[in-house]
Amino acid sequence: MIIEQLHETRDISDVDLKLLIETGQFDRELFRHADKVRKEYYETDVYIRGLIEFTNYCRNDCFYCGIRRNNHNLERYRLSQNEILSCCEIGYGLGYRTFVLQGGEDPFYTDELMNEIISEIREKYTDCAITLSIGEKSYESYEAFFKAGANRYLLRHETANPEHYAKLHPAGMSLENRKNSLRNLKKIGYQVGSGFMVGSPFQTTDCLIEDLRFLQELEPAMIGIGPFISHHETPFNRFKSGSLQLTLRMIGILRLMFPYALIPATTALGTADPQGREMGLRAGANVVMPNLSPVEVRKKYELYDNKICTGDEAAECRDCLSRRVSSAGYKIVTDVGNVRLLKEQHPQTKTVPETFNTR
Ligand code: SAH
């Protein structure tokens, strides 16, 4: 009943969500419905995004994150403009049509430098999407990057509960700032991705419900979630990691609530279990984000302990992912990978044309 209602109306009450999130009794039915919906929208296609982790310097000090400023036991690195460009070149040859530039909040990359990097990628790869994931910036900076040619932005809200947010971040960071950044990005015209960690310290079921409610308000094109995994050099080193099963359940719920969404089977999911990403795809995910960073720096972008794929060349990652995706019953496609909508089925989605601006 609950699952059918969620499938049909894309929503259920908080009370039903709580029951769904807290018990495993609906999982089989949930995943079956989620897979049906993902196939209606995306068939068996899986989009790939080439992830370029270009700096592990960060001015922030998020309590969960391995590249936080106060981790002094980490060798820091930055990729030059040429190194970033050569990652794109390798990636393009391997079939990537989206490049994701992710990093800590690193002031070394001034707006001018970012604009240069973005413009050069934009000029060389006119048929590709450029995604940024470099944290909170001013409206003006976001706007400049957009003008330079970036068209997507990933910024997880991490948790939609302000008190919980304060427990995961140092004073000076706030949920309100994070939300404002997300609103600014949308206003400028980016396709926005948000998301949260599952099982982060002090998270409750109510926090997860708030996450879903916030996403309903934001209507992002992409929703990235993964289990929290503790990192030995952070204040959260003694907390246990988030549950694989709960993460899968949340993916299934997201697929039914946001049928059109781009939902990655994340590296954190693959770290939690060797088959985690395959299970994620079967629970409703439709994107994978293999690593395109040079092998020499991979290990240094350790957001959490035992992060997978730190030893493989880009081509090996690409092949390995292809095999994994087909073993789960899906297929990787060479495509810029925009949101697909079945408008006639969802006339009530209020902000569709603006939200999914696909320039
Ligand atoms: N500086 C950028 C990129 C952050 S890293 C930004 O602020 O958006 C990308 C994501 O990794 C984060 O948004 C967070 O959700 C996730 N992450 C960080 N530490 C983690 C951990 N210990 N376990 C699981 N995920 C983590």
Side-chain angles (χ1 to χ4, degrees):
M1 263 303 279
I2 289 188
I3 303 293
E4 268 148 30
Q5 194 192 339
L6 180 58
H7 184 161
E8 270 158 38
T9 65
R10 301 199 286 159
D11 205 357
I12 49 175
S13 68
D14 285 1
V15 173
D16 284 346
L17 271 177
K18 200 174 172 86
L19 185 67
L20 183 52
I21 292 171
E22 288 183 350
T23 67
Q25 61 176 308
F26 304 101
D27 284 357
R28 274 176 66 121
E29 201 191 348
L30 173 66
F31 299 147
R32 194 164 53 77
H33 281 258
D35 192 52
K36 186 157 182 273
V37 169
R38 79 89 74 203
K39 283 180 177 147
E40 270 167 34
Y41 281 73
Y42 290 95
E43 301 160 33
T44 55
D45 291 357
V46 171
Y47 293 148
I48 47 173
R49 320 293 198 199
L51 185 60
I52 305 170
E53 299 154 336
F54 70 98
T55 172
N56 70 350
Y57 282 85
C58 192
R59 67 187 175 102
N60 282 335
D61 217 13
C62 309
F63 300 148
Y64 45 84
C65 184
I67 66 168
R68 63 199 300 267
R69 185 182 62 214
N70 262 311
N71 178 2
H72 299 294
N73 275 325
L74 177 66
E75 203 183 311
R76 304 282 171 169
Y77 74 90
R78 295 184 170 112
L79 297 187
S80 68
Q81 184 163 343
N82 278 342
E83 286 171 317
I84 296 173
L85 258 296
S86 92
C87 291
C88 295
E89 194 181 328
I90 294 169
Y92 194 88
L94 292 169
Y96 293 99
R97 294 297 176 266
T98 296
F99 303 117
V100 183
L101 302 187
Q102 189 181 82
E105 292 195 13
D106 180 359
F108 174 86
Y109 296 88
T110 57
D111 286 4
E112 291 69 39
L113 180 54
M114 283 312 298
N115 288 338
E116 241 183 73
I117 296 171
I118 296 163
S119 315
E120 196 179 348
I121 302 177
R122 175 49 66 231
E123 257 170 49
K124 289 212 166 105
Y125 303 100
T126 47
D127 57 339
C128 292
I130 302 174
T131 307
L132 301 178
S133 180
I134 50 175
E136 295 171 33
K137 304 268 174 187
S138 68
Y139 186 94
E140 291 69 33
S141 303
Y142 286 151
E143 199 177 33
F145 303 153
F146 189 77
K147 287 194 178 134
N151 50 345
R152 298 182 182 149
Y153 206 103
L154 305 181
L155 186 78
R156 292 185 177 179
H157 64 276
E158 313 295 359
T159 173
N161 177 287
E163 290 80 43
H164 186 216
Y165 193 93
K167 289 183 182 161
L168 301 182
H169 301 93
M173 289 183 76
S174 78
L175 179 60
E176 218 25 64
N177 281 345
R178 201 85 179 162
K179 285 186 173 177
N180 267 337
S181 296
L182 285 163
R183 290 187 197 110
N184 287 342
L185 289 163
K186 274 193 82 162
K187 201 160 148 206
I188 292 165
Y190 283 95
Q191 296 171 45
V192 171
S194 198
F196 53 91
M197 287 175 288
V198 176
S200 57
F202 314 110
Q203 184 179 64
T204 62
T205 306
D206 287 338
C207 293
L208 289 169
I209 295 173
E210 278 184 72
D211 287 324
L212 296 171
R213 297 298 177 214
F214 171 65
L215 292 168
Q216 284 178 321
E217 201 186 301
L218 183 71
E219 290 193 323
M222 184 160 187
I223 305 172
I225 68 167
F228 159 75
I229 301 174
S230 68
H231 185 290
H232 62 284
E233 293 284 353
T234 65
F236 287 167
N237 57 1
R238 286 173 198 281
F239 282 89
K240 72 175 188 10
S241 295
S243 126
L244 170 76
Q245 196 59 28
L246 181 57
T247 308
L248 297 172
R249 192 175 302 148
M250 294 309 297
I251 290 177
I253 295 173
L254 288 171
R255 174 57 63 207
L256 293 184
M257 278 190 149
F258 307 94
Y260 50 79
L262 301 161
I263 303 177
T266 55
T267 308
L269 200 54
T271 301
D273 187 290
Q275 293 286 310
R277 284 170 299 177
E278 290 86 328
M279 290 188 260
L281 292 170
R282 286 195 296 259
N286 59 339
V287 174
V288 288
M289 300 174 68
N291 206 313
L292 266 183
S293 316
V295 179
E296 313 84 75
V297 304
R298 296 257 185 113
K299 192 78 192 138
K300 298 177 193 155
Y301 199 82
E302 204 166 42
L303 306 174
Y304 43 81
D305 285 344
N306 305 316
K307 189 173 158 230
I308 53 167
C309 308
T310 56
D312 298 342
E313 294 288 346
E316 294 173 74
C317 271
R318 174 71 180 74
D319 286 348
C320 161
L321 247 304
S322 272
R323 282 196 301 276
R324 287 174 181 274
V325 169
S326 32
S327 81
Y330 306 93
K331 66 169 198 301
I332 285 182
V333 292
T334 296
D335 191 299
V336 71
N338 283 320
V339 160
R340 291 189 207 160
L341 286 171
L342 308 176
K343 274 210 191 100
E344 67 286 0
Q345 285 186 26
H346 300 283
Q348 75 274 37
T349 301
K350 27 185 208 311
T351 58
V352 161
E354 296 83 4
T355 311
F356 307 127
N357 176 344
T358 51
R359 140 183 122 168

